[in-house]
């Protein structure tokens, strides 16, 4: 059983790492063009907070080092993404990014760590961190839900990259299986939801992939499609974090 848990956890780590790295192509383009154009920084700021909380959870809960390792990697990657926004974004977006990152990734995270360290102990501390991590994870599923709504209304999958949907499905599935094995429901619930959403996205993809888009297949549409691929669900379920 221990061997199975370790094997599933390592597979989960590999899939989550791939999810965290999925926007690399877009960020390489940002670096080359020295501009973030119309891309939004909020998904990365939220994923950074999410990964940070899951890392803290993995360190705090005994035997959850595999959750801590992959999300620790996610923290490093997301810090690089957010930093690139702070370097290359237009002044207005740069200011917005700095304020949000300061409030969420520094302020909220520090408050959460201090509160749980000084106000809680033992299992209660693990529960509080687990509720916060799971709650944020579930909120972050707004991104794939919005993508699904767009697919249904436009009858086009251009706004929902297949690989992102596939990884959401794989990531959610493997971490849900891992959560069942180790009986960790804080990990299981958000990743179970991610697995269901990923499955529905793949079904939508099968239905609409050959449908004619109600929009013209213009350069604008390609830009919008690429922009959508910038919005990882949590890598992560992760993020990730499953």
């Amino acid at each position: 059983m221990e061997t199975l848990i370790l094997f599933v956890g390592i597979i989960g780590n590999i899939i989550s790492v791939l999810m965290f790295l999925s926007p690399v192509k877009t960020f390489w383009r940002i670096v080359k063009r020295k501009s973030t154009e119309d891309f939004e920084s909020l998904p990365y700021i939220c994923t950074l907070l999410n990964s940070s909380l899951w890392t803290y959870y993995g360190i705090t809960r005994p035997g959850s080092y595999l959750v801590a390792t992959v999300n620790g990697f996610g923290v490093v990657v997301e810090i690089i993404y957010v930093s690139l926004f702070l370097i290359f974004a237009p002044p207005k977006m740069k200011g917005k990014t700095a304020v949000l990152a300061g409030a969420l990734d520094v302020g909220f995270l520090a408050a959460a760590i201090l509160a749980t360290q000084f106000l809680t102990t033992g299992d209660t501390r693990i529960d509080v961190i687990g509720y916060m991590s799971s709650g944020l994870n579930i909120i972050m599923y707004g991104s794939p839900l919005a993508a699904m709504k767009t697919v249904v209304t436009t009858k086009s999958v251009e706004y929902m990259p297949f690989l992102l949907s596939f990884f959401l499905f794989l990531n959610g599935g493997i971490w849900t299986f891992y959560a069942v094995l180790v009986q960790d429901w804080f990990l299981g619930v958000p990743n179970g939801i991610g697995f269901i959403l990923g499955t529905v996205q793949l079904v939508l993809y099968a239905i609409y992939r050959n449908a004619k888009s109600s929009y013209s297949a213009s350069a604008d549409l390609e830009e919008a499609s690429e922009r959508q691929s910038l919005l990882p669900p949590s890598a992560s379920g992760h993020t990730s974090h499953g």
Side-chain angles (χ1 to χ4, degrees):
M1 188 67 167
E2 286 296 315
T3 309
L4 178 62
I5 290 171
L6 181 64
F7 177 73
V8 173
I10 289 171
I11 297 292
N13 268 244
I14 293 168
I15 294 169
S16 293
V17 163
L18 292 173
M19 275 194 78
F20 282 126
L21 294 177
S22 62
V24 160
K25 183 182 170 188
T26 305
F27 277 96
W28 179 243
R29 172 181 144 178
I30 285 170
V31 171
K32 281 203 296 189
R33 296 190 179 183
K34 293 184 167 50
S35 170
T36 57
E37 297 159 1
D38 294 330
F39 294 127
E40 278 288 333
S41 60
L42 185 60
Y44 305 98
I45 292 168
C46 289
T47 305
L48 175 54
L49 175 60
N50 195 38
S51 299
S52 302
L53 284 173
W54 278 116
T55 303
Y56 181 38
Y57 176 81
I59 292 167
T60 307
R61 187 180 194 267
S64 293
Y65 58 91
L66 285 171
V67 176
T69 52
V70 71
N71 283 288
F73 174 81
V75 167
V76 173
V77 172
E78 297 301 327
I79 285 174
I80 293 169
Y81 293 161
V82 173
S83 298
L84 289 174
F85 268 95
L86 292 173
I87 295 167
F88 295 115
K92 192 176 175 186
M93 173 58 75
K94 195 176 288 188
K96 178 183 168 187
T97 302
V99 169
L100 284 171
L104 295 174
D105 297 328
V106 180
F108 181 83
L109 181 64
I113 292 172
L114 289 171
T116 50
Q117 286 296 326
F118 291 111
L119 301 177
T120 60
T121 56
D123 287 348
T124 307
R125 179 182 296 162
I126 294 169
D127 288 349
V128 171
I129 302 167
Y131 278 120
M132 283 193 296
S133 303
S134 298
L136 182 60
N137 233 129
I138 291 166
I139 290 168
M140 287 177 64
Y141 285 132
S143 171
L145 280 171
M148 287 155 65
K149 180 173 182 283
T150 306
V151 169
V152 174
T153 53
T154 63
K155 294 184 170 47
S156 163
V157 294
E158 306 224 32
Y159 289 91
M160 191 177 72
F162 173 78
L163 271 182
L164 215 56
S165 301
F166 186 60
F167 276 125
L168 179 61
F169 166 79
L170 276 186
N171 196 59
I174 198 78
W175 282 110
T176 303
F177 185 36
Y178 178 84
V180 171
L181 290 176
V182 299
Q183 296 189 319
D184 183 346
W185 307 116
F186 290 122
L187 202 59
V189 171
N191 283 292
I193 293 171
F195 175 68
I196 292 166
L197 288 180
T199 304
V200 174
Q201 285 196 352
L202 292 178
V203 170
L204 286 177
Y205 203 92
I207 294 169
Y208 291 114
R209 75 177 193 278
N210 294 323
K212 289 286 179 206
S213 170
S214 55
Y215 292 113
S216 62
S218 63
D220 287 348
L221 194 56
E222 285 176 26
E223 286 282 309
S225 170
E226 201 161 316
R227 195 164 306 136
Q228 175 61 30
S229 73
L230 258 183
L231 307 176
S234 125
S236 240
H238 9 199
T239 159
S240 31
H241 343 313

